[in-house]
Amino acid sequence: MQESIVKFEHVSMQFPGVLANDDVSFDIKKGEVFALVGENGAGKSTLMNILYGINKPTGGNVYIKGKKVEKYSPSDAISQGVGMVHQHFMLVPSFTVAQNIVMSKEPKKMGIFYDLKAADKITENLVKEYGLEVDGKATVAEISVGLQQRVEILKTLYRGADVLILDEPTAVLTPQETEELFQVIRRIVKEKEMTVIIITHKLYEVMAISDRVGVMRQGRLIGVEETKNVNERILASMMVGREVLFDNIEKTGTPGDVQIKADNLYVADNRGLMAVNGVSLEVRAGEVLGIAAIEGNGQSELLEALTGMRPVARGEFFIQGEKSNGKTPGQIRELGLAHIPEDRMSTGVSLQSTITENLIIGKQKESAFSKYKTHLKQSSIARYAEELFEKFDMRGSGVETRVGDLSGGNMQKVVVAREFSFDTPTLIIAQPTRGVDIGAMEFIHKQIIAKRNEGCAILLASADLDEVFRLSDRIITLYEGKITGEFKAGEIDKMGISYYMTGDRSGGNGGQEGGAENE
Amino acid sequence: MEQLAQVFNIGLLQNTLRTATPVILAAMGGLLTEQAGIMNIGMDGMILMGAFVAVAFSYACASASMGVLMAVLIGILVGIFFAIFVVKLKSDEFIIGMALNTFAGGLTVYLLRSIFGVKGTFSDAGIVSLPTVHLDFLDGIPVLGPLLNDNSIFVYITWVLVFLTWLFLYRTPYGFWLRAAGEHPESLETAGISAQKMKLIASIMCGVFCGFAGAHLSLGYLTMFSEGMSNSRGFIAFACVIFGMANPPKVFLAALLFGFLQALGLRLQNVGVPADITSIIPYLATILMLVYVVVAGDRKKKNKAKKELKNIN
Amino acid sequence: MNKLTTAFQKNRSYLTALFLSIVTALILGAILMLITGYNPLAGYAAMLKGVFGNSRVFGNTLAKMLTLCLTGLAMAVCSKAGMFNVGGEGQLFLGGLAATMVGVCLEGISPIIAVPLAFLSAAAVGGFYAWIPAMLKVKLNVSEVITTIMLNSVAIYLCTYLTNSGGPLLTDDRGVLGGTEAVPDPFMFSQLIPRSNLSTAIIYSAAIAFICWYVMKKTTMGLEMKITGENSRFAFFSGLKKDKIMVLAMVASGAICGLVGMFEVYGYQQRFMDSISNEFYYDGMLVAMIMNYNPLGIIIMSFFFAVVDIGAGAMELSIGISGELSDIIFAIIIFLMAAEGGITKFLNERKARKEAQK
């Protein structure tokens, strides 16, 4: 148990303009579950990418099983027994599960040909040996996210990994799937003598699964502790360098008229499969309706349909009382809707354009910003951008910075600043704080509640259950494109709601509505 | 009726094979880069360089095989050159492809002038063309006999190459890696194989295929080199790749269809349709092919959604 | 002037790279001449003489610059909005032919009516020919790169058929030579330098260039085009009519190309022949790409291109080095500029690594 299997010695990583790791030194012991925690951008993933050989450190050394790493490449790390399950899965969607598992170490026949049958057989044996059930012949694109994660783990096991790095493994899982994953971790550590490094920022998971925990902040290692000697509060203050106490944001006013209404809505996904199956909902002025759902259960398609980004297959929806099927996003915006999209990089901003340009778009034809709707008034546009830059607390070298050069948090502030300054009576918000640090998250949450208190009707979807609970007045759960439950704030807790998120309408305990039993 | 017979006869099919072959070859190269995730619109230039080098060395060494060998060699070099920009330096594929076409067009004409002292076209009795293949046992068979016999050797090699391309892509690990490099490069990287290397290999193989295409064009199809003789075949090959969804047998059929249309155009000239008009056919057909792919794909998706809705009822 | 200095400083590394690329390309061109047995100094001297030797050749150079500048701007206008119009050559052919036929048919009518009609027809036909691939792209998502290339061949073969033996638009007064009837003299643009190709087309070109620059840099339309070109999903999300913007940009690009065709005929050729353009549009495209679609940069760079292009033609006539040398030099500049972006990134990363090790 005390033998050191991985050792970091004064490791530093300098990216252009960013010092991602700054003189980090610590050991990981054989057979332990080591949790690495820190805020977004603290340098956890960078450090693990170094261990896995994706990045070569700009300073310091790494030792694996007592041997100094000379050549940094994934294939060398793999041969040393290091395996990594990335936050974004590293699977080829059109290949089968088996083909993904054996990739780079394919069984061959006649020297050069790929033995596809042997690959299936290998997968079958691995599934049996580790008890991670999954169909080897299924195409990866067709299986659930939870199963894809199993494929990732099997992939590393097939390569003979005994040090397993899991990068944010629970971000896409339900509480139940998380529990199953933890059981797998405990079993492989105990039975196969593996070492597991888990990167996370969910502190209760650290407490639940790890033996020791290392905390990182701004590229530095703040400390390594035995998990039993710390609690969530201590870890949180180590992470942010101060005591974190989320203020209670005051909610005022009473709900008014219905502003957003969907009636038996069906929406197809990109492949033509039905992702939203008959959803009806209403959002009133001055309330936040939160959608709690695991990724891929139709919430993205639902919000895209309601904002005009995706066609509706059947059913109707109304924005401000006006039927909006078949309208373009532009026409729906004119009815009084603003939208924070799920994926800010591909939908919410233009990366090559400046902050100013990203803030002004949508308002460029207003008389304050252009003459005769054509000639741009450059100076008043610049002034307006400066104002928003201040008001939304953006950091960076001014409004002429390219948005692509901003951090995730600042980029999201650009989106929020633009959309909120349309002053619309309705808002549709998806993943408002994904990949955003705690400071910016707090700021954005306050802005959302301020809008609510002003009487705005807000529909919110987030993969972060804490966020949904904190901001919503009412919560609906979606499972496979259907609404499985509806609750008032405070009526249900996180464990209880997770049953509804997995399609169990009884709330997990035989029909007792609300499902608020003990965790 | 008589005119119809003049158009639709065995010669039409023979012409189809002849005209399709260079496009098939280039398209096989193009589907490899496509599968590896590279948009390659520089194939036209690659073909042109292959054609020039093949004629130059066939003439200089009085050997057709020397011409082909050097065309392949230049294909490898151009493939590496293309990959350095597109893969290593991550330059814009569109710009590099277009620049490569301009470069090839300029360089071949420049060298034609400075080496052979001619402008426009170089044809000489000293250029050794590729041999044709005659199989005696086919002689007795109607239709197939005349169709499959006496073709340039490259026609046969091409069919083998189509099969080998398929075998490589779908039955060897390297083919899987190449496809993974295009579809999800990070997953290949983390499995310990360089996606850039696979892209480089795809690019080199594309260069080789285009070298073959060029050599066939200038030593098999014709026995000469003329300015811009690739005549947008690289682009047509690219369209065939898209039409055939980068799948070797489907791309092969798409290229055959193109060859058939071009052959039809040649035949129509025999019955008095102006050559400039019949030349338009393959280009228009390519556009229609592309439109068809998209419309068919859309309809499939819509039908799927409709079917799903029905199931709900 | 102050503004110009800041613009220079802002793009200093780009301009340095550009300068070095041009010098390197010229050196590589010299090496190629050496290898193929020519004296590069004599070659470049012949080039310069062919451009600045007398007012006639210099006029020709300026005329060439106009063509390159307009085709370059045509490329810039559509690529700003995310569309790649590779079909300018075909649009140029059809626009030129349309304007010529309008001129031929309106013989005897006042130029004040006929010439504007010719303008209109050239722009309309060129624009329409770009509208087809634009609609295919916007409505069906068919790659405009391939369709425009195919449409080039279609247009060129069609024009060749129409204006050569057997074609309906062939003139009777040129014997075996192809070409349409001549545009009546009163309709032709006046020549600015005697016996050169330079005509008052330069005034129209300047106006077109100004409009392009103004629209792209100073108007809501320009902003909307930029956003659409950089991220069309974001543009759609923001309520811009992205399809309309893309089609419009493409049609504008085609219209400019159509006008270039007209200027060739009305500027000096006087009748439409299938040799109206020798891949003029491709050269313009290269200019636009090298200058990153910047309107001002395109205007300056087209002068350099015109010098090399006209100079290379003169070099071919005087000492027999193939004029295609110009294409080789242009392509090399693009390769070097494209490589420059990657090399800069590579150097920056190495610098960062060194700093960290300190």
Side-chain angles (χ1 to χ4, degrees), chain A residues 14 58 304 329-330 333 339 346-350 352-353 357-358 361 364-365 373-376 418-419, chain C residues 214 217-220 223-224 226-227 230-231 233-234 236-240 348-349 352-353 356-357:
Chain A
Q14 172 86 51
T58 45
E304 283 180 8
R333 278 175 182 273
H339 174 28
S346 72
T347 317
V349 292
S350 167
Q352 291 96 335
S353 300
E357 286 164 334
N358 271 284
I361 204 75
Q364 73 277 17
K365 286 192 176 157
K373 296 190 175 186
T374 39
H375 184 88
L376 291 169
R418 182 188 59 234
E419 296 299 323
Chain C
Y214 177 77
K217 292 284 176 188
K218 299 283 178 194
T219 65
T220 51
L223 179 66
E224 291 176 9
K226 181 170 186 235
I227 297 291
E230 283 170 1
N231 186 347
R233 188 173 160 82
F234 172 57
F236 182 56
F237 163 86
S238 298
L240 302 185
N348 281 346
E349 272 166 23
R353 188 161 291 187
Q357 273 163 351

Side-chain angles (χ1 to χ4, degrees), chain A residues 18 39-42 340-346 348-349 351 355 392-396 401-417 430-441 443-444:
Chain A
V18 194
E39 286 192 81
N40 288 298
I340 294 174
E342 176 177 278
D343 184 348
R344 61 175 164 266
M345 296 268 208
S346 72
V349 292
L351 294 172
I355 293 179
F392 282 82
D393 192 28
M394 293 172 211
R395 317 274 163 81
T401 316
R402 272 173 10 116
V403 165
D405 294 334
L406 298 177
S407 71
N410 279 314
M411 210 186 278
Q412 187 70 348
K413 282 179 186 168
V414 172
V415 179
V416 172
Q431 315 295 355
T433 59
R434 177 179 281 177
V436 161
D437 61 62
I438 289 185
M441 182 160 125
F443 180 84
I444 291 171

